Amino acid sequence: MVVFLGNEFNLSANENYKLAVETAVNAAEKSDFKIFLIGGVVRDLILENKIKDIDIAVEGNAVDFSVILERDYNCKIINIQEKLKTAKVQFSNGSIIDFASTREEKYINSGVLPQGYNFGCSLENDVKRRDFTINTLALKLTGDNKFSLIDYCGGYQDILNKKIRILHDKSFIDDPSRIIRALKFKVRFNFELEQNTENLMKEYLNNINDKMPLERIKNELHQYFNIKKENLYDLIISTKAYKLISDKPILNFKEERLFSLKEFDLFNENEIWFIYITALIVNSDYAIKRLNITSSERKVITEVRELLNKDAKVKDNFQIYKMFNKLNNLSIASYYVISGNPAVIKFLKALKDIEVLITGDDLKEIGFIPSPYFNKLFESILKEKLNGKLNSKEEEINFVKKFLKKD
Ligand code: CTP
C-alpha cells in the first residue's frame, strides 16, 4: 500500500535534520540511488513524536553512497560497519544520519545473530526482516511520488490502531530480544500487543532457547528501563519476560521506593536502568555468569548480594553506618528498592555525612603516641557522633582527653 502524505514532511520541527535529509536527497538523485526514511523515524513522524535519530535505507550499497556524500557534499563519514554495510554520516550543519544498505537476513540457528545477508535487495524484502509492522514503514525520498509512505506490512493501520504485531510466527524465535522491544514500544507509546503476537511471546517464554547471547537482551532492557514511566519492572515480571535473562528475579521490587530515593541524589537518571537489572539478576548465578557485565556493574551486584545476606533487622546507628558507609550509592539504592529496609533511609537522612573532625596530628598534639589505638579512638568518637553527641571539634578533643588520663 502506498499512502501519499503530501510533498512536505515535518521532521518534528528539527530544521537541521530537514536540511541534512534534503542534501541526502539531492545527492541520491544526482547519483541514481533510491533512498528512503525507514523504521522508527517514520513511525515517530506519524505519531508526531520527537525525532531522536534518523535512519535512511539505501536500495543498494549505503557505504558507496556515503563516500559520495563525503566527497561532494561536505559531509563526514563518522563510522562504517563493513559487515552490515552501514555508514554513519555527519552533515555540514552537524546533524547525523545512519545510512543502511537494504538487506535480507538469513537465520540458520534461531536465537543468535543472523548468519547471512543479502545486501542491496528490494525495499520490500528489507522491511520483511524487521521486528514489528509499526517499524516497517518507509518514506520515499527519491523519484516519483516523493514523500509517499510505503507500507508493505500494514504498519500504518497498526499505528492508528495502536497495535504491536510481529511479521511472521518465527520472529521471536529468530530474535528473542524482540520480546523486550515489544514491551518497550507497548509502554512507550501506550500500544497493545496484537493477540497472535502475545500468544507467540508467551509460547516462546515457556520454551526458552537458553543458548541465545544475552547482549542484545541487555541492550534492549537498558532502553526499556530508561523509559520514564511507571510499572516497568512489574510488566517484565507479569509477562515472564524476565526469563530471558534470569531464573530468580526479585519479586518484591517496589518502584515507589525507587522514586522515593530521588531526594537523596544517589544516582543519575541514566543509571536507574541498572537498579532494575540488579533486581532481576542479583539472585541468579545463571544470569550473572552469562550476562556480559562490566566490573563496576559486578561490584554493585556483589555488594547488593552481601547486603541481602546480612541480618536486615534495624541495628544501632554505628552498625547501620558500618553497613552502608563504604558502599557504592547504586548498591545502596538497589538494596533499598529490593528490601525496603528502613535502615537505609536512616543512614541517608541522618548518618551518611557524619565524620570525625580531629586528625592523627591532633591526637599527637594532645599527647597520644601514634599506634593502632588511634583507630579505636576515632571509632569511639564516631560512635558518639552517630548518637548525636560531640558536635564540634572541641568537644571531640575533650572527649578523647579522657582516654589520655586513663593511659
Ligand atoms: N530492528 C529489528 N529487530 C531488532 C532491532 C531492530 O527488526 N531486534 C529493526 C526495526 O525495524 C527498527 C530498526 O531495526 O525500526 C532500527 O532499530 P532501532 O534503532 O533499535 O529501533 P527504532 O525503531 O529506531 O526504535 P527507537 O525509537 O527505540 O530507537
Side-chain angles (χ1 to χ4, degrees), residues 38-41 43-44 52-53 55 129-132 135-136 175 177-178 181 184-185 188-189 216 220 223:
I38 189 89
V41 55
R43 175 201 68 214
D44 289 340
K52 287 192 291 152
D53 41 41
D55 291 308
R129 73 173 161 87
R130 292 176 184 258
D131 51 0
F132 308 109
N135 290 337
T136 60
D175 180 356
S177 71
R178 289 175 174 164
R181 288 177 65 82
K184 173 177 85 176
F185 295 124
R188 196 199 283 167
F189 303 135
R216 282 175 137 193
E220 290 298 341
Q223 292 185 37

Side-chain angles (χ1 to χ4, degrees), residues 174-192:
D174 284 345
D175 180 356
S177 71
R178 289 175 174 164
I179 290 180
I180 307 295
R181 288 177 65 82
L183 300 181
K184 173 177 85 176
F185 295 124
K186 173 183 160 67
V187 174
R188 196 199 283 167
F189 303 135
N190 212 1
F191 280 16
E192 287 306 322

Side-chain angles (χ1 to χ4, degrees), residues 40-296:
V41 55
V42 184
R43 175 201 68 214
D44 289 340
L45 280 173
I46 295 169
L47 287 168
E48 297 185 4
N49 289 340
K50 190 168 183 298
I51 303 302
K52 287 192 291 152
D53 41 41
I54 291 206
D55 291 308
I56 287 186
V58 179
E59 224 177 46
N61 188 332
V63 176
D64 291 348
F65 181 58
S66 69
V67 170
I68 293 175
L69 285 170
E70 183 166 75
R71 192 189 62 203
D72 299 336
Y73 292 87
N74 209 6
C75 296
K76 190 170 178 315
I77 298 174
I78 302 178
N79 178 271
I80 285 185
Q81 280 202 15
E82 273 304 335
K83 193 172 161 237
L84 288 181
K85 298 197 192 305
T86 60
K88 198 181 261 307
V89 176
Q90 183 163 43
F91 287 72
S92 57
N93 64 10
S95 47
I96 293 172
I97 294 184
D98 286 311
F99 291 89
S101 312
T102 48
R103 67 174 190 264
E104 289 170 279
E105 292 178 345
K106 298 187 189 90
Y107 287 90
I108 300 161
N109 294 317
S110 292
V112 294
L113 293 173
Q115 285 84 34
Y117 303 103
N118 173 24
F119 291 106
C121 66
S122 66
L123 178 75
E124 178 165 7
N125 285 344
D126 176 281
V127 298
K128 291 197 165 149
R129 73 173 161 87
R130 292 176 184 258
D131 51 0
F132 308 109
T133 60
I134 59 169
N135 290 337
T136 60
L137 295 165
L139 199 68
K140 197 166 186 285
L141 293 178
T142 45
D144 300 336
N145 296 333
K146 218 177 266 178
F147 307 121
S148 50
L149 188 71
I150 304 174
D151 181 4
Y152 292 111
C153 308
Y156 187 62
Q157 200 53 45
D158 280 339
I159 289 182
L160 298 184
N161 294 338
K162 297 172 172 275
K163 288 281 178 214
I164 298 161
R165 183 193 308 271
I166 43 173
L167 304 193
H168 59 88
D169 285 1
K170 277 185 67 203
S171 184
F172 291 134
I173 299 173
D174 284 345
D175 180 356
S177 71
R178 289 175 174 164
I179 290 180
I180 307 295
R181 288 177 65 82
L183 300 181
K184 173 177 85 176
F185 295 124
K186 173 183 160 67
V187 174
R188 196 199 283 167
F189 303 135
N190 212 1
F191 280 16
E192 287 306 322
L193 302 188
E194 169 275 330
Q195 195 58 57
N196 184 46
T197 301
E198 187 170 354
N199 293 344
L200 289 165
M201 181 194 275
K202 283 187 184 151
E203 197 176 306
Y204 182 84
L205 290 169
N206 284 329
N207 302 281
I208 288 218
N209 159 15
D210 64 359
K211 292 200 179 50
M212 68 192 171
L214 295 191
E215 208 36 38
R216 282 175 137 193
I217 307 275
K218 187 185 174 200
N219 286 340
E220 290 298 341
L221 281 169
H222 186 161
Q223 292 185 37
Y224 171 81
F225 286 126
N226 261 345
I227 308 176
K228 292 182 183 58
K229 293 254 173 106
E230 289 175 17
N231 302 322
L232 294 175
Y233 193 84
D234 291 351
L235 188 64
I236 295 290
I237 300 298
S238 64
T239 55
K240 297 199 169 64
Y242 67 83
K243 288 170 79 179
L244 290 169
I245 64 157
S246 171
D247 54 349
K248 280 195 210 109
I250 297 281
L251 296 178
N252 60 344
F253 178 99
K254 293 266 187 308
E255 230 165 35
E256 58 270 25
R257 290 186 197 135
L258 178 61
F259 300 141
S260 77
L261 287 178
K262 288 234 163 97
E263 63 171 298
F264 300 109
D265 225 8
L266 290 178
F267 43 78
N268 299 325
E269 287 277 306
N270 61 11
E271 289 176 311
I272 291 181
W273 73 282
F274 198 71
I275 297 179
Y276 289 95
I277 299 278
T278 300
L280 285 178
I281 68 175
V282 67
N283 278 342
S284 172
D285 291 331
Y286 156 87
I288 294 170
K289 213 177 293 157
R290 293 191 53 224
L291 205 62
N292 190 2
I293 41 183
T294 64
S295 55
S296 57

